[in-house]
Amino acid sequence: MRRPTPALTGTLALCLVLTACGGGGPASPQASAAPAAADGTTLLIWADQKRSDTLKPFAEAFAEENGIKAEIVVVAQNQQQTFTTASQAGEGPDVLVGAHDWIGNLVQNGLIDPVPMTEEQLAGYADVARRAVTYDGQVYGVPYAVENLALFRNTELAPDAPATFDELVDTGKKLKKAGKVEEIVGYPVSQQNGQSGDTYHLYPLYTSGGAHLFGTTPQGDPDPADLGVGTKESVAAFERIAALGEKGEGALKRSFTSDNAAAAFNEGKTAFMVAGPWRLADVRKAGVKYDVTPVPGFKDAGPARPFVGVQSFFVASKGRNKALAQEFVTGSLASAEVAQALFDAEPRMPALKKALEYAAAKDPDVAKFQAAAENGTPLPAIPQMVAIWVPFNTLIHAAVKGEPVPAAVDAAAKAIAEQLEQ
Amino acid sequence: MSTRQTRTGEGRGLPRRGDTGAPRQEGTAPRTSPEGSPGGPPARDRRPRAVPDRPRALAVPPGGWPGGAGAVAARFLALGLIVAVALWAVAPLASAGNWTGTAIVAAVTAAGLYVYLTPRRMPAKYLLPTTLLVLAFQVFPVVHTMSLALTNIGDGHLGSKQEAITAIETSSVRREPGSAEYRLTVAERDGGLAFLLAAGGRAYAGTAEGLRPLEGATLGPGGRITAADGYTVLTSAQASARSAEITELAVPVEGGAIRSQGLSRAYQGRAELTYDAGCDCVTGSGSGSGPEKAWRADEEQGRFVAADGTALPQGWKVDVGLANLAAALTDPRINAHFLGVFGWNLVYATAVVALTAALGIAVALALHHPRMRAVRAYRTLIVLPYAMPAFAMLLVWRDMFNTDFGLVNRVFGLDVDWLGEPFTARLSVLLVQLWLGFPYMFLIATGALQTIPAEYLEAAQVDGATAWQRFRKVTLPLLMLALSPLMVSSFAFNFNNFNGVFLVTAGGPFPADNPTVGATDLLITYTFRLAFGQQGAQYGLASAMSVYVYLIVAVISIVSFRRTRVFQEVDR
């Protein structure tokens, strides 16, 4: 052990090599930057796995037409966060595919540009999609697909669509009593972690109870100054939800997540499920005879308004090829032919009216989800929405568990208001 | 062997009076230190004995490296590799003008070459790589976190003020309602970019100077201009290459400017908001229809604030000094629950360490029994939870604790709301962590058991000790010798065991009257929700909180390591 053996030297050298890179850590992103600009322009598009497979041929066709290259990068996890970090470091894409409710946050971080579509172009989109991508009076994204919740019904167990949620619960209870099902309804009360309530899924019932999250500004945006949680209506809505909860009818249970609700429905253990179009493939594969109708509201109450999410194309502020990116999203992707081809490649409810007609004719379920979206409201895109999630999720669990509703609503309202003040 | 490591470690970690406290570097220090402090306190007298062989290690023959030609070749190959990697790393840094990065790479490479080429500097050969690793992966992240804690970085405050101004102006450009829609052709004249615009059968040419009618233009089938006298129409590929110029070109016209929408359309729009450097404010009518207003730059908040208190959403990063660190202590929303969370955090980390150690030792002892059969099979089975990815296992456990559909309730025929009640939720996260963690302790204990000489136990048996006495007085103290430092590090790990709690319960269940703090929240999950869960991502505040968590863990670890030295006395 007087001197390092060659092997040891090698190991040390390796360490040194590693640290040499580590030492330059803060600057190393630039090392990998070396853009492919040398031999032409590359339009960089970020999408998740499914979307990237669908978009690939269209991006390539566009690239060929314009004599450039197009590259689609799959970002599977934490897209918004990754986009923010990468853009800030000058490594972001030109086009981003994502959910419209990112808009508020991306705008306050100065990361996406308005998309100056003509009024004629905008008029071609479904109303809810157009509203969804409009933020502070500006259009920030090109809508592509629309998603919302609806009620799946096993037509063998329950031939008739329930007119109200109370009727649905009655039917479910009868079926359970008869031993035909194990659960009244597969309603995802909890998020995947089972530990916090699911605002997205519970929102239809909350709105049917007459309550709202935010008011509306004259611009048509959600108004953070008008908080609906803590109002009389919100207490009343949660009283109705609690009445169906674990200490009431036992229809809503915290043990239900989106996954196990779907499993129960597919195995015929429940006749009803509240879910989005992403469950269609599963349900069809399971061979259940099903129908899709709008989520029913409470008896003698307002309609249930599901959140509508709109997948959109965004033009990155810090992209290198903004003109190209705009041309791609407003010129190429916004055309009816491409929207139809996108639907053929992946059956998602299109946002473009013409493509929607085409899709509805081809797949009756699309028309049913479209009907379910009619009462829907776009998922709020304002950054203040982040103040809602945690307290509202907790409130849902408290109500379904059977805790005193007014106290829980007050606590949630207080927590949200404190966050909004900041 | 272990004795020496312990003692030299002690000398480094605990600077005494007369010691510089700095880690000894470059080999010369151990040799000179005895002479350097002749009147050192008696506590230091072990040092010369602990490192007697070090000065001798330096006495490598000055004539060159011993060893065969292969060894020398391997050494130079390795050094050549270092230089190659350094060059590869430096090229982009230098071309990007990042001189700090270049200097760091150069300095590291030079130091590496010097240390490994000279036959002397034996301790540095070991110290250099470790020092670099410590700097890169320990010191740098900590310093970076602390520097972030002094800013307001987070959503809405990510970039510079200039970036915020650009974003505000860009996003305020609105299409003039009812204005003409132009078909755009990008062209060039004398190297400068021009927009050839067609609308309503008329043709225009637009440059940064203005818009003027265009004579002699040829209209194509799509209504776009395909040729014009004096202009070179750019092909798509040519236009694509000048994408940035096209985006920036705004043709001034009355009531706004004509801007491109991609490469084939143009529209007339107006920037509703403009920055005025004179008053350091943004003026305009805000969201289209509102009255004229001015938003003044507030350098303390890093955003533009109007007289009525409203602010523009786009802000920038500013230094806030100790505000984040102070907020963690003074903000009632944060500190009101601190003690409760801290208490449970201590209980959690302690309980996990105690339970995993107890179970690990018990299982190791059982398998260590000489009459035990199929030991290997058992060991493989027991190590399984440790070998499986913890991430996936945590999610599986979470689903197994589901009230109606979970395996736990189904198998035992229970109807327990495991994750819904504070007590059972706490029990659940402990059980999950026990399952995940005990194989580690089992492995360590198994190894340590092999090193306990059988004579000790035989001697104790001869002296009439019962089995329990033998375990309590002989086996356990010797086991603890190996286990206690690992238990301290296990404690530090579990104190910050974000996954172990967040993936199972997400910190819940939350009391109905307080959605901010859950029954199983650790400081780290609580911090995470504070910083990322509610008001968007607040990296500054999160960094400040993690500085505190770091300090707490550091203090606890230092105290524990000192206490565990009690066991090490046995070895002397």
Side-chain angles (χ1 to χ4, degrees), chain B residues 12 14 150 246 270 276 379 417 425:
Chain B
R12 262 210 316 272
L14 285 175
L150 303 178
I246 295 169
R270 197 156 58 104
D276 182 351
R379 276 192 192 147
D417 184 6

Side-chain angles (χ1 to χ4, degrees), chain A residues 25-306:
Chain A
S28 57
Q30 273 149 5
S32 60
D39 56 331
T41 314
T42 305
L43 183 69
L44 191 58
I45 301 160
W46 277 17
D48 62 17
Q49 180 70 55
K50 269 189 181 170
R51 239 66 64 214
S52 89
D53 293 345
T54 316
L55 281 176
K56 204 154 190 260
F58 300 100
E60 277 166 5
F62 174 78
E64 201 167 310
E65 203 176 294
N66 287 287
I68 54 155
K69 284 184 194 158
E71 192 185 342
I72 300 195
V73 174
V74 177
V75 181
Q77 285 281 324
N78 271 341
Q79 289 144 319
Q80 192 184 173
Q81 185 64 49
T82 315
F83 173 73
T84 305
T85 315
S87 286
Q88 209 56 37
E91 298 294 309
D94 299 306
V95 175
L96 174 73
V97 186
H100 83 270
D101 60 306
W102 300 354
I103 289 177
N105 189 35
L106 294 180
V107 168
Q108 72 168 348
N109 286 332
L111 297 177
I112 55 171
D113 274 2
V115 181
M117 284 197 286
T118 61
E119 275 148 38
E120 185 195 333
Q121 271 180 316
L122 278 174
Y125 286 99
D127 189 49
V128 66
R130 199 174 59 236
R131 275 191 291 142
V133 294
T134 307
Y135 174 68
D136 195 20
Q138 286 276 57
V139 175
Y140 278 95
V142 176
Y144 145 47
V146 178
E147 285 174 344
N148 56 278
L149 293 175
L151 179 72
F152 283 72
R153 185 178 87 251
N154 185 325
T155 47
E156 283 179 346
L157 293 168
D160 300 319
T164 65
F165 204 81
D166 307 71
E167 194 185 319
L168 180 156
V169 171
D170 284 344
T171 313
K173 275 167 81 179
K174 270 179 210 148
L175 287 166
K176 192 176 173 184
K177 217 173 206 176
K180 284 187 182 168
V181 298
E182 289 176 19
E183 304 292 343
I184 298 169
V185 55
Y187 203 117
V189 170
S190 291
Q191 290 182 32
Q192 275 319 313
N193 62 27
Q195 205 39 59
S196 47
D198 191 332
T199 300
Y200 180 80
H201 280 94
L202 254 293
Y203 186 73
L205 289 187
Y206 175 69
T207 48
S208 173
H212 63 285
L213 283 181
F214 290 121
T216 313
T217 63
Q219 289 284 324
D221 285 327
D223 182 4
D226 175 9
L227 178 65
V229 185
T231 57
K232 283 205 309 289
E233 292 79 16
S234 67
V235 175
F238 269 106
E239 292 285 8
R240 294 199 81 156
I241 290 171
L244 301 176
E246 289 169 23
K247 290 198 179 150
E249 303 277 9
L252 302 179
K253 294 199 273 193
R254 284 168 300 152
S255 57
F256 268 114
T257 67
S258 168
D259 277 348
N260 59 31
F265 183 81
N266 290 346
E267 288 163 20
K269 288 180 181 165
T270 181
F272 303 101
M273 164 174 75
V274 173
W278 52 87
R279 289 284 172 207
L280 268 176
D282 275 2
V283 173
R284 285 173 185 170
K285 208 164 107 193
V288 178
K289 289 218 173 69
Y290 70 96
D291 192 14
V292 177
T293 50
V295 180
F298 289 119
K299 194 178 165 199
D300 304 326
R305 302 188 182 280

Side-chain angles (χ1 to χ4, degrees), chain B residues 28 144 193 258 297-298 303 373 376 413 467:
Chain B
T28 53
H144 188 61
L193 212 55
I258 297 175
D298 182 336
R303 61 194 337 176
R373 293 280 164 263
R376 270 190 198 192

Side-chain angles (χ1 to χ4, degrees), chain A residues 81 109 195 254-255 327 419, chain B residues 156 263 404 417 505 534 539:
Chain A
Q81 185 64 49
N109 286 332
Q195 205 39 59
R254 284 168 300 152
S255 57
E327 180 69 25
Q419 283 296 323
Chain B
L263 298 174
D404 289 318
D417 184 6
T505 66
Q534 304 192 355
Y539 300 113

Side-chain angles (χ1 to χ4, degrees), chain B residues 352-371:
Chain B
V352 167
V353 172
L355 289 172
T356 52
L359 186 60
I361 292 174
V363 176
L365 278 174
L367 291 188
H368 192 64
H369 198 276
R371 300 232 301 270

